[in-house]
Every structure is written in structure tokens, then in C-alpha cells.
Amino acid sequence: MEHINKMHYITHSLADYPIVQQVEDVCKGGCMWVQLRMKQASTDERLATALEIYPRLKRYGAKLIVNDDVYVAKVVDADGVHIGAEDMHPADARHILGPGKIIGCTANTLEDVLRLSRYDIDYIGVGPFRFTSTKEKLSPVLGLMGIHRIVAAARAQGVHVPLIAIGGIMSGDIHKLKETGIYGVAVSGAIHNAADKVAACQAIAALLATDHQLLTTDHALSKK
């Protein structure tokens, strides 16, 4: 699991905050993992942006994960791809990208996690934690208890794939999320909505740097 970072930044297409600047800011703030997400863009637009940010990320030693578009990830030689529930099958993505690349998938239920964990993938994004306007076709919101139950049940059934909480996560949520046993978090608005993007990123990275404290009962978690 060492190659999976605990903090994932997901880009968002904003008129007043270009993705190139987002990448620069989060890398300055200590984020070593950027998922390029451009849902409404064409393949050519996505490819052009990926080619533009890739050398910037490499200067910081950060990873580039391309959301959904396996072919762009292949052309750019990105570090990997993140596949949504309605996107390419993970086995097909592995065949295209090869054994050395990172493949992440999205899950909303324990059944999703158990099914996906059977494939040759590297992490699973579990969410959404809460409502988020950055994602269309939002799956049912899980909340803290929902994520805790999925993580606990998955671990009890022998799932060792890193689970990343995703969906509307803010810095104030991270302490409680860590107590669910989640491996890491994916953030977007928590950084790009902050007045000081670099400082916001640094704060989240610092929160994730401490050890997890896994709670084993719903009762203990509900007292928080």
C-alpha cells in the first residue's frame, strides 16, 4: 500500500482557477497525488491538460491519475487511472495499461467493495461521504457511519485494498474519518474553495500524517 498516498486531490474545472494552477498549489502544499477529473471535456482537451500538468507533477515527485479516460492515461504515460462505476471494466483497464500502473475504482456499498477487490486494482474510493456539487449522478450519501460500516465489514471479510473516503470531505471531517479505519481521503472543494489553497492543502496533509485510530464498534463511533 506504500505506493497509494493518503491524500488525493481531485481537480475541478473552474473558470477562475485553472487546473494548472490547482496542480501547482496542491503540490506546493504537500499533495503528492492528483486525479485529473474533467468530466465535461473532450478527449483532446483532457489530453492537452494532462500533457501540460504531467511535467509539473513530476517536478514535485507527485503522481498523475486520470479520471475515467484510460486512453489518455496510456498516451500520457500517467501513473494510473480512476474508474467510475459506469466506466471501463477494471480488467480491461489493466490489460490496456499493464501491470505497473495504478488502477482505482469507485464503490458505494459493501457489495461494490467486495466485488471490486477481486480484481487486480490498487485502491477503492468509497463514498460519497456527503453531498457534493462537484460530481454528477451522485450515489446515495454514506455519511460517517456508512463509511465506518463498509470499512469494518470489508476488513472483517479479508479485504486489504486501501479504501479512500471521497465526496464533500472538508478538513474538519478528517479526524473522525480516520477513526473509521479508512486508509486516506480524496478532497477537492476543501482546497479549491479555501482562501489560501496552499495552506489548506498543508493542513490536510498534516492531519493525515498521524496514525489511524480504528474504532471497532458503531457505538464508539456514534459517541463522537
mmCIF file of all heavy atoms in Angstrom, residues 83-102:
data_model
loop_
_atom_site.group_PDB
_atom_site.id
_atom_site.type_symbol
_atom_site.label_atom_id
_atom_site.label_comp_id
_atom_site.label_asym_id
_atom_site.label_seq_id
_atom_site.Cartn_x
_atom_site.Cartn_y
_atom_site.Cartn_z
ATOM 1 N N ILE A 83 -11.424 4.650 -12.195
ATOM 2 C CA ILE A 83 -12.569 4.203 -12.982
ATOM 3 C C ILE A 83 -13.839 4.314 -12.167
ATOM 4 O O ILE A 83 -13.928 3.771 -11.058
ATOM 5 C CB ILE A 83 -12.374 2.741 -13.431
ATOM 6 C CG1 ILE A 83 -11.084 2.602 -14.224
ATOM 7 C CG2 ILE A 83 -13.558 2.277 -14.253
ATOM 8 C CD1 ILE A 83 -10.696 1.164 -14.488
ATOM 9 N N GLY A 84 -14.830 5.004 -12.721
ATOM 10 C CA GLY A 84 -16.126 5.121 -12.066
ATOM 11 C C GLY A 84 -16.968 3.876 -12.259
ATOM 12 O O GLY A 84 -16.621 2.974 -13.039
ATOM 13 N N ALA A 85 -18.100 3.850 -11.570
ATOM 14 C CA ALA A 85 -18.965 2.662 -11.597
ATOM 15 C C ALA A 85 -19.503 2.361 -12.987
ATOM 16 O O ALA A 85 -19.797 1.203 -13.313
ATOM 17 C CB ALA A 85 -20.120 2.847 -10.615
ATOM 18 N N GLU A 86 -19.652 3.383 -13.829
ATOM 19 C CA GLU A 86 -20.229 3.185 -15.154
ATOM 20 C C GLU A 86 -19.170 3.222 -16.255
ATOM 21 O O GLU A 86 -19.506 3.346 -17.437
ATOM 22 C CB GLU A 86 -21.300 4.256 -15.415
ATOM 23 C CG GLU A 86 -22.455 4.193 -14.434
ATOM 24 C CD GLU A 86 -23.482 5.293 -14.662
ATOM 25 O OE1 GLU A 86 -23.252 6.113 -15.580
ATOM 26 O OE2 GLU A 86 -24.497 5.295 -13.949
ATOM 27 N N ASP A 87 -17.914 3.123 -15.874
ATOM 28 C CA ASP A 87 -16.833 3.238 -16.846
ATOM 29 C C ASP A 87 -16.259 1.863 -17.198
ATOM 30 O O ASP A 87 -16.859 0.843 -16.924
ATOM 31 C CB ASP A 87 -15.756 4.175 -16.303
ATOM 32 C CG ASP A 87 -16.303 5.570 -16.036
ATOM 33 O OD1 ASP A 87 -17.003 6.096 -16.913
ATOM 34 O OD2 ASP A 87 -16.047 6.110 -14.951
ATOM 35 N N MET A 88 -15.100 1.854 -17.783
ATOM 36 C CA MET A 88 -14.460 0.624 -18.247
ATOM 37 C C MET A 88 -14.272 -0.397 -17.121
ATOM 38 O O MET A 88 -14.021 -0.038 -15.982
ATOM 39 C CB MET A 88 -13.103 0.973 -18.865
ATOM 40 C CG MET A 88 -12.344 -0.210 -19.426
ATOM 41 S SD MET A 88 -10.749 0.275 -20.147
ATOM 42 C CE MET A 88 -11.295 1.123 -21.623
ATOM 43 N N HIS A 89 -14.388 -1.667 -17.468
ATOM 44 C CA HIS A 89 -14.152 -2.736 -16.510
ATOM 45 C C HIS A 89 -12.687 -2.697 -16.072
ATOM 46 O O HIS A 89 -11.785 -2.492 -16.892
ATOM 47 C CB HIS A 89 -14.461 -4.093 -17.154
ATOM 48 C CG HIS A 89 -14.554 -5.212 -16.181
ATOM 49 N ND1 HIS A 89 -13.442 -5.795 -15.608
ATOM 50 C CD2 HIS A 89 -15.635 -5.860 -15.660
ATOM 51 C CE1 HIS A 89 -13.820 -6.756 -14.794
ATOM 52 N NE2 HIS A 89 -15.140 -6.819 -14.801
ATOM 53 N N PRO A 90 -12.415 -2.886 -14.779
ATOM 54 C CA PRO A 90 -11.028 -2.814 -14.303
ATOM 55 C C PRO A 90 -10.093 -3.815 -14.976
ATOM 56 O O PRO A 90 -8.903 -3.525 -15.156
ATOM 57 C CB PRO A 90 -11.145 -3.060 -12.798
ATOM 58 C CG PRO A 90 -12.518 -3.582 -12.567
ATOM 59 C CD PRO A 90 -13.368 -3.053 -13.664
ATOM 60 N N ALA A 91 -10.601 -4.974 -15.355
ATOM 61 C CA ALA A 91 -9.754 -5.956 -16.034
ATOM 62 C C ALA A 91 -9.325 -5.442 -17.405
ATOM 63 O O ALA A 91 -8.189 -5.667 -17.845
ATOM 64 C CB ALA A 91 -10.489 -7.288 -16.172
ATOM 65 N N ASP A 92 -10.225 -4.733 -18.092
ATOM 66 C CA ASP A 92 -9.884 -4.153 -19.390
ATOM 67 C C ASP A 92 -8.871 -3.027 -19.222
ATOM 68 O O ASP A 92 -7.942 -2.885 -20.026
ATOM 69 C CB ASP A 92 -11.145 -3.632 -20.090
ATOM 70 C CG ASP A 92 -12.108 -4.745 -20.460
ATOM 71 O OD1 ASP A 92 -11.637 -5.882 -20.694
ATOM 72 O OD2 ASP A 92 -13.330 -4.492 -20.510
ATOM 73 N N ALA A 93 -9.053 -2.229 -18.179
ATOM 74 C CA ALA A 93 -8.103 -1.145 -17.907
ATOM 75 C C ALA A 93 -6.717 -1.713 -17.612
ATOM 76 O O ALA A 93 -5.701 -1.184 -18.083
ATOM 77 C CB ALA A 93 -8.589 -0.296 -16.746
ATOM 78 N N ARG A 94 -6.667 -2.800 -16.853
ATOM 79 C CA ARG A 94 -5.381 -3.430 -16.541
ATOM 80 C C ARG A 94 -4.715 -3.960 -17.808
ATOM 81 O O ARG A 94 -3.495 -3.826 -17.988
ATOM 82 C CB ARG A 94 -5.580 -4.560 -15.533
ATOM 83 C CG ARG A 94 -4.309 -5.334 -15.187
ATOM 84 C CD ARG A 94 -3.247 -4.441 -14.552
ATOM 85 N NE ARG A 94 -3.626 -3.998 -13.222
ATOM 86 C CZ ARG A 94 -3.106 -2.947 -12.606
ATOM 87 N NH1 ARG A 94 -2.189 -2.207 -13.228
ATOM 88 N NH2 ARG A 94 -3.495 -2.590 -11.403
ATOM 89 N N HIS A 95 -5.494 -4.520 -18.683
ATOM 90 C CA HIS A 95 -4.959 -5.046 -19.936
ATOM 91 C C HIS A 95 -4.347 -3.929 -20.778
ATOM 92 O O HIS A 95 -3.275 -4.103 -21.379
ATOM 93 C CB HIS A 95 -6.063 -5.750 -20.723
ATOM 94 C CG HIS A 95 -5.623 -6.249 -22.067
ATOM 95 N ND1 HIS A 95 -4.810 -7.353 -22.220
ATOM 96 C CD2 HIS A 95 -5.877 -5.779 -23.323
ATOM 97 C CE1 HIS A 95 -4.572 -7.538 -23.511
ATOM 98 N NE2 HIS A 95 -5.209 -6.606 -24.204
ATOM 99 N N ILE A 96 -5.004 -2.776 -20.805
ATOM 100 C CA ILE A 96 -4.525 -1.649 -21.609
ATOM 101 C C ILE A 96 -3.302 -0.996 -20.977
ATOM 102 O O ILE A 96 -2.319 -0.695 -21.661
ATOM 103 C CB ILE A 96 -5.650 -0.610 -21.786
ATOM 104 C CG1 ILE A 96 -6.771 -1.194 -22.656
ATOM 105 C CG2 ILE A 96 -5.119 0.687 -22.412
ATOM 106 C CD1 ILE A 96 -8.041 -0.369 -22.650
ATOM 107 N N LEU A 97 -3.341 -0.777 -19.669
ATOM 108 C CA LEU A 97 -2.277 -0.028 -19.002
ATOM 109 C C LEU A 97 -1.088 -0.886 -18.594
ATOM 110 O O LEU A 97 0.028 -0.379 -18.454
ATOM 111 C CB LEU A 97 -2.837 0.690 -17.771
ATOM 112 C CG LEU A 97 -3.853 1.790 -18.044
ATOM 113 C CD1 LEU A 97 -4.328 2.403 -16.731
ATOM 114 C CD2 LEU A 97 -3.285 2.869 -18.964
ATOM 115 N N GLY A 98 -1.311 -2.162 -18.359
ATOM 116 C CA GLY A 98 -0.220 -3.033 -17.960
ATOM 117 C C GLY A 98 -0.087 -3.166 -16.456
ATOM 118 O O GLY A 98 -0.762 -2.471 -15.686
ATOM 119 N N PRO A 99 0.804 -4.029 -16.004
ATOM 120 C CA PRO A 99 0.901 -4.374 -14.575
ATOM 121 C C PRO A 99 1.510 -3.294 -13.698
ATOM 122 O O PRO A 99 1.343 -3.320 -12.485
ATOM 123 C CB PRO A 99 1.786 -5.630 -14.587
ATOM 124 C CG PRO A 99 2.626 -5.478 -15.822
ATOM 125 C CD PRO A 99 1.731 -4.827 -16.837
ATOM 126 N N GLY A 100 2.225 -2.342 -14.267
ATOM 127 C CA GLY A 100 2.922 -1.368 -13.441
ATOM 128 C C GLY A 100 2.142 -0.123 -13.102
ATOM 129 O O GLY A 100 2.633 0.745 -12.373
ATOM 130 N N LYS A 101 0.916 -0.002 -13.598
ATOM 131 C CA LYS A 101 0.137 1.215 -13.397
ATOM 132 C C LYS A 101 -0.906 1.047 -12.291
ATOM 133 O O LYS A 101 -1.355 -0.057 -11.991
ATOM 134 C CB LYS A 101 -0.562 1.617 -14.700
ATOM 135 C CG LYS A 101 0.402 1.948 -15.832
ATOM 136 C CD LYS A 101 1.294 3.133 -15.493
ATOM 137 C CE LYS A 101 2.195 3.503 -16.660
ATOM 138 N NZ LYS A 101 3.056 4.671 -16.368
ATOM 139 N N ILE A 102 -1.298 2.177 -11.701
ATOM 140 C CA ILE A 102 -2.272 2.196 -10.611
ATOM 141 C C ILE A 102 -3.688 2.222 -11.184
ATOM 142 O O ILE A 102 -3.982 2.999 -12.092
ATOM 143 C CB ILE A 102 -2.049 3.426 -9.722
ATOM 144 C CG1 ILE A 102 -0.683 3.341 -9.031
ATOM 145 C CG2 ILE A 102 -3.168 3.575 -8.684
ATOM 146 C CD1 ILE A 102 -0.245 4.641 -8.388
#
